[in-house]
């Protein structure tokens, strides 16, 4: 009798859970962006959140939670209820770089999340204050070699793709400059534009408007080839052979989120990427829309971890 009652109770709970997943979403969804407002992850996240809101019929509300190179925001989502109402705009930093950089991680990049969809590939860019004497990557390298340790560069934080872009540049170009970490690309850009720090590695989306307006001077993109939106801007690799970095954005839910919920989030995210307005905005800052299945994103994360671990080790970068 007791066994029958227990089985009936379990069946009822499972049925209720299935119904909840089928009705998802019935209330607002929080998209955690693990960096402050103003950077490329924030730009991509807000574009996708707005379009997903239309698709899902419930608000997708952006919450910026920066700190620890993206670890704080990612950990918040990893520990959230696996019901689909808290999702993460993950990046190469949160899921590939940080596991190699930090001695202790507050989450597992593979086991703590349910992959939803790979959204975009984003180039980085080397920029300087317009008053800075170097007008090309060649001139910058010459200036840095003539003045080792004199100049500094800003990034969105310790261990971020932008930090590693700078460290890889130093290593391959044979130059020395000081790293100034900020709590996100937005605050770093303010200081570079004002001249407090002369050099920065940034995501192209967050710098593109400032480059076009003349508030920043771009020296080169970090991808192996030139960016379509800035065809006259050389790739750093044209001057420093072998140099290549970039970032990506992807959507994740907490591990254990029901497959039906993941499927609805995946469909909404991938539909957002087909919107002409989203594609046009992505094109403005040279972000390439991707889209994927959850399984494809899961494989992408594993490949990125394997790719970046030796690069991080070669730079000698390590964070507590």
């Amino acid at each position: 009798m007791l066994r029958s009652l227990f089985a009936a109770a379990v069946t009822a709970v499972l049925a209720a859970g299935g119904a909840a997943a089928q009705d998802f979403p019935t209330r607002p969804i929080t998209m955690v962006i693990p960096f402050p407002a103003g950077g490329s992850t924030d730009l991509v996240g807000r574009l996708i959140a707005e379009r997903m809101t239309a698709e899902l019929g419930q608000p997708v509300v952006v919450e910026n939670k920066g700190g620890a190179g993206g670890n704080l925001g990612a950990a918040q989502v990893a520990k959230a209820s696996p019901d689909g109402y808290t999702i993460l705009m993950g990046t190469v930093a949160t899921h590939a770089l940080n596991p190699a950089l930090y001695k202790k991680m507050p989450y597992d990049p593979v086991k703590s999340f349910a992959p939803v969809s790979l959204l975009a590939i984003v180039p980085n860019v080397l920029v300087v204050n317009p008053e800075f004497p170097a007008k090309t990557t060649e001139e910058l390298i010459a200036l840095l070699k003539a003045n080792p340790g004199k100049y500094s560069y800003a990034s969105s934080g310790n261990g971020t793709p932008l930090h590693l872009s700078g460290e890889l540049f130093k290593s391959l170009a044979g130059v020395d400059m000081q790293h100034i970490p900020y709590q996100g690309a937005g605050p770093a850009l303010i200081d570079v534009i004002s001249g407090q720090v002369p050099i920065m590695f940034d995501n192209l989306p967050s710098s593109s408007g400032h480059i076009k307006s003349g508030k920043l001077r771009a020296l080169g993109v970090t991808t192996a080839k030139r960016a379509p939106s800035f065809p006259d801007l050389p790739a750093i690799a044209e001057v420093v052979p072998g140099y290549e970095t970039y970032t990506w954005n992807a959507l994740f839910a907490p591990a254990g989120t029901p497959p039906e919920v993941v499927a609805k989030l995946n469909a909404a995210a991938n539909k957002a990427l087909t919107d002409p307005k989203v594609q046009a905005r992505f094109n403005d800052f040279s972000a390439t829309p991707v889209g994927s299945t959850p399984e494809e994103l899961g494989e992408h994360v594993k490949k990125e971890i394997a790719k970046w671990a030796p690069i991080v080790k070669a730079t000698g970068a390590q964070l507590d």
Side-chain angles (χ1 to χ4, degrees), residues 69 113 141 164 166 294:
F113 299 93
I141 292 172
L164 289 184

Side-chain angles (χ1 to χ4, degrees), residues 49-201:
E50 181 180 2
R51 193 64 188 84
M52 287 181 69
T53 294
E55 286 298 316
L56 294 170
Q58 290 288 343
V60 179
V61 182
V62 167
E63 177 185 334
N64 294 92
K65 187 176 180 64
N71 278 356
L72 292 184
Q76 176 180 319
V77 176
K79 297 171 184 175
S81 298
D83 53 16
Y85 289 99
T86 306
I87 56 179
L88 173 70
M89 181 58 64
T91 71
V92 63
T94 59
H95 281 73
L97 301 182
N98 290 357
L101 280 164
Y102 286 83
K103 295 178 181 178
K104 294 182 180 180
M105 286 286 291
Y107 58 86
D108 185 293
V110 175
K111 296 179 182 178
S112 298
F113 299 93
V116 177
S117 179
L118 180 62
L119 300 174
I121 301 293
V122 183
N124 300 327
V125 64
L126 169 58
V127 294
V128 296
N129 181 278
E131 302 300 319
F132 192 66
K135 293 180 170 59
T136 65
T137 299
E138 293 96 330
E139 290 182 7
L140 175 63
I141 292 172
L143 187 65
L144 294 175
K145 285 186 174 180
N147 302 274
K150 177 180 178 179
Y151 297 103
S152 57
Y153 77 95
S155 84
S156 54
N158 282 319
T160 61
L162 307 180
H163 173 204
L164 289 184
S165 291
E167 293 305 302
L168 188 62
F169 179 80
K170 287 166 56 178
S171 175
L172 293 181
V175 297
D176 182 28
M177 54 182 173
Q178 301 300 313
H179 174 228
I180 309 295
Y182 286 77
Q183 291 295 317
L189 279 171
I190 291 172
D191 276 7
V192 176
I193 291 170
S194 68
Q196 297 298 312
V197 182
I199 306 164
M200 181 176 177
F201 286 86

Side-chain angles (χ1 to χ4, degrees), residues 9-31:
V10 169
T11 300
V13 169
L14 291 175
Q22 190 173 17
D23 294 338
F24 175 87
T26 58
R27 55 187 171 87
I29 296 167
T30 298
M31 177 190 287

